[in-house]
Amino acid sequence: MSPKTLYDKIWDAHVAHEAEDGTCLLYIDRHLVHEVTSPQAFEGLRMTGRSVRAPDKTIAVPDHNVPTTLDRLNGIENPESRIQVEALDRNARDFGVHYYPVSDVRQGIVHIVGPEQGWTLPGMTVVCGDSHTATHGAFGALAHGIGTSEVEHVLATQTLIQKKSKNMKVEITGKLAPGVTAKDITLTVIGKTGTAGGTGYVIEYCGEAIRDLSMEGRMTVCNMAIEGGARAGLIAPDEKTFAYCMGRPHAPKGAQWEAALAWWKTLYSDDDAHWDKVVTIRGEDIAPVVTWGTSPEDVLPITASVPAPQDFTGGKVDAAKRALDYMGLTAGTPLAEVPIDAVFIGSCTNGRIEDLRAAAAILKGRKVKEGLRAMIVPGSGLVRAQAEEEGLAEIFQQAGFEWRLAGCSMCLAMNPDQLSPGERCAATSNRNFEGRQGRGGRTHLMSPAMAAAAAVTGRLTDVRELMG
Amino acid sequence: MDKFDKLTGIAAPMPMINIDTDMIIPKQFLKTIKRSGLGVNLFDEMRYDADGNEIPGFVLNKAPYREAEILVAGDNFGCGSSREHAPWAIKDFGIRCVIAPSYADIFYNNCFKNGILPIALPQEQVDILMKDAERGANARITVDLEAQTVSTSDGETFSFDVDPFKKRCLMEGLDDIGLTMEKAASIDAYEAQQATSRPWV
């Protein structure tokens, strides 16, 4: 048998039909659904009299629109947001899919809830009408975002019409230096390959620095594969993956667990598998980084200075000019001297317990700089409960952070959590696009520890200055 | 789905790279539960000021381009989120074809589901089409999906690639859910086999 990559193996295990031209029907094991990209799909089913083919493999949770303030059970004030969440309530009930409503403690960001509840398992195909579905690749599951028409297609047929992508290997060798995290890895990769560097590929992340990451860290890395343009990101499952999955509500038990484990252990890329593209980065060379512009590829070590448009070539010259203007930055300014107005810690990229622990380690016994707006939004109700149990919530509140309920929050500002025009934010989310966190808002992406450090000093900060 | 075969129209030039889905349709317009009516908010934050007044310098606010049916743009068009609201907004505005050196994967797929043809051409050819588009109403670009060609107003013609299955769906306006349902037997067989080999799924 010819050697295969992990992607090849998962793909081959899910082809339900292949046409002569290579167009495949790929079977979908888990379909995650949220309120923003699904109403038109359910409406499509109603109009054509179609049903959901596999409601037991379909999991819905509202996350994008939900307020994260403590009074949210009194109802959603914004009428459009309320209608969208109510539509999901109704669609979940009418079509009989698994559902975690706003009132359920397990509610949270769909990409945090899926793994937490054991819906996401190695070797699965996972889709969702959301580009950050790539997150689930951390389990060695083929997971990617789809549009609403494809959501309807999966609801109706439990398959997707697909052509295979190419294989790309991103290897992070060696050890990470202190203060360097999974977020710094994933941003550094995008900084090196560009936001289109992964277009047409599925990326497998490997190497010692990846193996050393926790499952939470691996989810952070895979989450941003889409920001590098890739269809999906993957990490081969190992003992850490199996330990994370074991005992979760929807993970297999008993003999089925043993059978699953036996198959999961075959899910790795063969030594002599073919790669269409290979990128290698030394873990030791990765620094704590921040973004300076309006594309996730605009990444620099915190010790660097704001670049000038003439540092670039081609279309990037104009793009950099526009980005500096939007961000209100002057070329040559040291990044660590850029003052901020707000801090946002949360999102499907960095809203898990490990992220909150990293932030708490910096914030313990310290205060948020006066005049700064700072909020921490746990990725799920269960993350919130755990953080309270571990005493992290108390550290955040004593430092002056707002401690919120679970949701997407200020990552995309579809809810009341938004930046004002010109407001500058240190954010642990995934996109720094113009207007992403609110019209005119300025976003600098970074790790939770870096965002916590920025909250303390009131400027973009090298977290290593605050590490004891 | 609307069919696409041949189109001759005004092309709006947007010589920017990395035009992302948040620019195409900002998040506040994703709260709709319909597919229609988003055209007025296409490129909203570039097109209108904070008070909702048109920004005169923006290309789609200029006389000939209000009628644009084609958009010519820079590399990595449609990067970012999976929101199908982006192609819905483009289509609702009246644009049926986008020409750029490259696209983000999800956006590219979403276009075909909505009767929009995204064409990828080498940068040099996009540059020529961009110049043509800058001539406004004096230049009309012709797109022929059957022949897989794009022609400038001067008759200079470039060929483009498109997946044969996607091409057929677009030309015939096919409902791909209907097409897949014709293969229900294959899906049934797959599920039966999976129930044995991977029962935990």
Side-chain angles (χ1 to χ4, degrees):
Chain A
M1 224 164 44
S2 59
K4 289 178 176 182
T5 63
L6 172 57
Y7 170 52
D8 297 337
K9 290 179 184 179
I10 303 174
W11 175 274
D12 291 349
H14 288 86
V15 175
H17 181 274
E18 182 164 359
E20 279 172 19
D21 69 351
T23 304
C24 291
L25 279 183
L26 199 68
Y27 192 81
I28 301 304
D29 294 330
R30 293 288 180 264
H31 186 190
L32 308 175
V33 174
H34 66 69
E35 79 279 17
V36 177
T37 56
S38 67
Q40 295 86 352
F42 283 111
E43 192 55 26
L45 293 185
R46 283 199 180 87
M47 283 165 66
T48 50
R50 290 167 177 152
S51 56
V52 175
R53 182 181 171 102
D56 55 325
K57 293 173 181 169
T58 310
I59 300 99
V61 57
D63 56 6
H64 283 59
N65 272 284
V66 299
T68 60
T69 43
L70 296 172
D71 59 357
R72 74 176 181 195
L73 286 180
N74 300 336
I76 302 175
E77 203 171 309
N78 179 289
E80 290 168 304
S81 292
R82 191 175 61 237
I83 288 168
Q84 235 175 22
V85 173
E86 285 171 355
L88 188 64
D89 289 341
R90 191 176 61 248
N91 289 327
R93 193 180 56 232
D94 290 357
F95 290 93
V97 307
H98 297 280
Y99 190 46
Y100 301 98
V102 178
S103 57
D104 192 312
V105 69
R106 298 167 296 177
Q107 179 272 343
I109 305 171
V110 65
H111 307 308
I112 294 189
V113 174
E116 212 168 60
Q117 293 301 319
W119 291 113
T120 308
L121 297 169
M124 283 185 162
T125 46
V126 181
V127 297
C128 175
D130 191 288
S131 57
H132 293 111
T133 311
T135 310
H136 308 266
F139 291 79
L142 177 60
H144 58 84
I146 54 177
T148 298
S149 295
E150 289 179 316
V151 170
E152 187 177 338
H153 191 281
V154 177
L155 288 172
T157 70
Q158 206 56 29
T159 63
L160 263 188
I161 301 171
Q162 292 276 288
K163 275 212 169 140
K164 207 172 164 197
S165 303
K166 291 180 282 185
N167 280 292
M168 175 169 171
K169 176 160 90 168
V170 173
E171 186 176 16
I172 314 294
T173 63
K175 299 279 181 198
L176 298 179
V180 179
T181 68
K183 186 65 166 286
D184 300 297
I185 293 179
T186 203
L187 283 171
T188 299
V189 171
I190 299 162
K192 184 171 165 124
T193 59
T195 48
T199 303
Y201 295 93
V202 164
I203 294 177
E204 181 177 338
Y205 299 95
C206 61
E208 187 183 353
I210 298 291
R211 292 259 76 87
D212 283 350
L213 293 175
S214 65
M215 287 314 295
E216 284 83 356
R218 293 177 190 184
M219 285 188 253
T220 300
V221 170
C222 289
N223 173 276
M224 292 191 72
I226 181 69
E227 261 40 83
R231 169 153 281 261
L234 283 171
I235 294 174
D238 60 12
E239 292 303 327
K240 281 184 193 171
T241 321
F242 310 144
Y244 181 98
C245 294
M246 197 161 81
R248 302 229 165 228
H250 296 279
K253 315 268 184 307
Q256 287 210 357
W257 170 264
E258 295 306 323
L261 199 60
W263 186 57
W264 295 346
K265 287 182 175 173
T266 68
L267 298 176
Y268 54 82
S269 290
D270 297 329
D271 284 342
D272 39 4
H274 171 75
W275 299 97
D276 300 291
K277 189 171 177 177
V278 176
V279 173
T280 306
I281 297 175
R282 277 164 36 98
E284 293 83 356
D285 291 345
I286 300 175
V289 293
V290 295
T291 63
W292 54 269
T294 53
S295 166
E297 70 189 12
D298 299 339
V299 174
L300 281 173
I302 181 65
T303 49
S305 297
V306 176
Q310 57 268 27
D311 297 342
F312 301 93
T313 55
K316 193 69 190 171
V317 177
D318 282 344
K321 216 177 281 173
R322 184 181 169 95
L324 291 182
D325 183 49
Y326 181 86
M327 293 297 289
L329 292 174
T330 310
T333 308
L335 285 166
E337 289 178 11
V338 174
I340 56 159
D341 308 300
V343 177
F344 167 63
I345 296 177
S347 84
C348 59
T349 315
N350 283 124
R352 285 167 287 267
I353 190 69
E354 181 181 280
D355 302 313
L356 303 193
R357 287 182 192 138
I362 299 297
L363 293 171
K364 191 168 187 178
R366 293 193 170 107
K367 292 275 181 209
V368 170
K369 177 93 171 173
E370 209 182 306
L372 221 64
R373 191 151 76 97
M375 65 164 86
I376 297 195
V377 186
S380 72
L382 294 180
V383 169
R384 182 179 155 93
Q386 190 176 350
E388 287 179 347
E389 200 179 294
E390 292 182 16
L392 309 181
E394 209 179 319
I395 294 172
F396 300 144
Q397 284 167 315
Q398 281 176 0
F401 267 86
E402 284 186 66
W403 175 234
R404 296 295 191 91
L405 299 178
C408 295
S409 185
M410 208 193 265
C411 175
L412 89 167
M414 278 192 74
N415 43 67
D417 307 339
Q418 304 200 8
L419 294 179
S420 308
E423 211 177 0
R424 188 183 298 283
C425 182
T428 66
S429 43
N430 40 56
R431 291 201 175 118
N432 50 357
F433 295 159
E434 289 181 22
R436 172 81 179 178
Q437 293 193 284
R439 186 176 183 134
R442 294 162 172 167
T443 305
H444 294 275
L445 303 175
M446 63 195 73
S447 73
M450 288 280 285
V456 171
T457 63
R459 54 176 172 80
L460 301 181
T461 298
D462 189 335
V463 66
R464 293 169 295 195
E465 289 171 24
L466 273 68
M467 285 167 59
Chain B
M1 190 180 76
D2 292 346
K3 293 180 186 178
F4 187 108
D5 44 20
K6 204 168 176 184
L7 171 68
T8 298
I10 293 172
M14 282 191 79
M16 287 170 65
I17 63 166
N18 295 336
I19 292 177
D20 59 66
T21 51
D22 280 79
M23 284 182 188
I24 297 170
I25 186 80
K27 72 274 164 199
Q28 60 269 34
F29 305 109
L30 310 188
K31 296 185 181 186
T32 176
I33 54 171
K34 301 197 180 81
R35 292 174 201 246
S36 55
L38 289 167
V40 67
N41 303 115
L42 175 67
F43 294 113
D44 193 88
E45 290 178 4
M46 302 163 90
R47 197 164 147 201
Y48 308 102
D49 65 21
D51 299 321
N53 304 307
E54 283 188 2
I55 298 169
F58 183 67
V59 61
L60 297 183
N61 289 332
K62 294 180 189 169
Y65 301 117
R66 289 175 185 273
E67 310 301 324
E69 292 176 88
I70 300 168
L71 189 65
V72 186
D75 213 9
N76 199 26
F77 188 87
C79 59
S81 101
S82 66
R83 61 188 70 165
E84 201 159 315
H85 309 66
W88 293 338
I90 288 171
K91 173 88 173 297
D92 197 56
F93 179 88
I95 291 170
R96 297 289 312 277
C97 173
V98 184
I99 301 171
S102 74
Y103 297 86
D105 193 36
I106 304 175
F107 174 83
Y108 185 79
N109 281 327
N110 283 343
C111 283
F112 285 96
K113 312 282 183 188
N114 291 282
I116 300 169
L117 174 63
I119 297 175
L121 287 174
Q123 185 71 53
E124 315 82 71
Q125 296 178 4
V126 173
D127 290 344
I128 292 166
L129 291 163
M130 192 74 77
K131 284 223 161 59
D132 208 30
E134 282 163 2
R135 291 166 58 198
N138 298 321
R140 281 168 202 270
I141 288 173
T142 298
V143 176
D144 185 338
L145 177 55
E146 168 89 74
Q148 295 183 211
T149 56
V150 182
S151 308
T152 66
S153 53
D154 300 329
E156 194 173 355
T157 298
F158 309 116
S159 294
F160 63 87
D161 283 331
V162 60
D163 176 81
F165 176 74
K166 288 190 166 82
K167 177 179 176 178
R168 184 165 75 95
C169 288
L170 208 48
M171 289 201 66
E172 298 177 21
L174 296 177
D175 160 27
D176 58 7
I177 297 179
L179 287 178
T180 297
M181 287 184 130
E182 290 171 11
K183 303 190 183 84
S186 299
I187 304 172
D188 291 342
Y190 180 87
E191 282 182 338
Q193 171 254 318
Q194 194 190 47
T196 318
S197 61
R198 292 186 293 131
W200 62 88
V201 175

